[in-house]
Each structure stands twice: as C-alpha cells, then as structure tokens.
Amino acid sequence: MKSELKISVVLATVVIFSVIASSFTTVVNAKSVAVPGVVDTKPAMEVKFLGATGEFLYFELSLNQLNDTRSQLRVRNEDGVELYAESVFSKAATRKLKIAKEDVEKLEFAYSNLKGEVKKTFEVKIRFQEAIEVKDITRP
C-alpha cells in the first residue's frame, strides 16, 4: 500500500512538473532570411518575341511556379488596358500569344500567385523598311 502511494505521489509530481514546464514558452521573432539552396516560391516567367505577321505581334511565354496553385497571367498596354488574362493551374506552362499591334507602344506581361509577382515590360517600335529591287530586263 505504501509503495502504491509513493508511485502515485511520484506520478502526480511528474505531471505537475510537466504542466508547469510546458507553460513557460518563449516567443521568438522570426525573420525571413534567404538561405542558399532553398527554392524561391515566387513565380518565374520568360517572354520571347517571335516576330510579326500582318497586323499581329507573336510572343511565347514560359511560366513556372513551385506547385499547382492558382496563378494569374495578364498582358496590358501602356494605358493599363488588359489585352489578355488567364488563370493558370499548373507548375509549368507555355503560351503563345497573338497581340494586335495597332497603337501598342508598351506591353506589360505580369505573372503572379500568392507568393509574389514577376513583371516584364517591352517597348514596341514599328519601323517600315523601304525595299528597292533592281532587275535587268534587257532582251537579247
């Protein structure tokens, strides 16, 4: 009986000590630090100008993000008018865009998710070249 009482007292003491020890917690102020080798969760985008045909400009966009979360792709002109918008739900995607070149001086490509945004801005200058052709039309 005495040994059972001693065991009960020891268990009660351990439980009380555990409760008291767990109530003393320290709050630590965490700071975001860039660690080499850790993958950035911000989305990535590459924009390549493919050329122009007729009244259109052609671009190829390579989009990458860490996981399959929802992200937004937007293309705006210099006035902020949205020319193209799409929600993307994959880690990697490639899009080919055809944009009318009428009165476009600047294009802003923006790709964003909850972790951040990446923007690329392009200036569009349309130059016309004069082509001169000279042929020998002398008849023998």
Side-chain angles (χ1 to χ4, degrees):
M1 186 88 148
K2 287 184 181 182
S3 64
E4 290 178 5
L5 183 60
K6 285 182 183 180
I7 292 173
S8 299
V9 171
V10 169
L11 286 175
T13 305
V14 169
V15 169
I16 291 172
F17 181 76
S18 298
V19 170
I20 292 172
S22 66
S23 66
F24 291 106
T25 58
T26 304
V27 176
V28 177
N29 291 329
K31 292 184 180 180
S32 177
V33 178
V35 179
V38 174
V39 178
D40 189 13
T41 57
K42 187 175 171 182
M45 173 179 57
E46 288 183 34
V47 179
K48 183 193 289 186
F49 176 61
L50 299 176
T53 303
E55 296 300 313
F56 296 99
L57 305 171
Y58 295 90
F59 292 89
E60 181 177 81
L61 284 69
S62 297
L63 311 169
N64 293 297
Q65 62 178 341
L66 187 61
N67 51 29
D68 291 338
T69 59
R70 179 181 177 167
S71 57
Q72 295 291 320
L73 172 63
R74 299 188 188 290
V75 180
R76 296 181 186 102
N77 68 8
E78 66 276 359
D79 297 325
V81 175
E82 198 167 271
L83 305 174
Y84 180 83
E86 177 186 2
S87 293
V88 181
F89 293 93
S90 60
K91 286 183 183 181
T94 302
R95 299 290 187 265
K96 289 188 180 177
L97 300 181
K98 176 174 129 176
I99 298 173
K101 63 182 178 183
E102 58 190 37
D103 301 324
V104 174
E105 294 176 12
K106 287 186 183 175
L107 287 173
E108 179 186 76
F109 296 85
Y111 183 52
S112 63
N113 62 18
L114 295 174
K115 302 293 183 179
E117 179 177 49
V118 61
K119 288 183 181 180
K120 304 250 183 195
T121 305
F122 293 86
E123 183 176 48
V124 178
K125 289 186 179 181
I126 300 172
R127 295 191 181 119
F128 296 99
Q129 288 184 318
E130 182 178 352
I132 300 173
E133 183 179 320
V134 178
K135 270 199 253 187
D136 182 4
I137 55 169
T138 307
R139 295 185 187 193

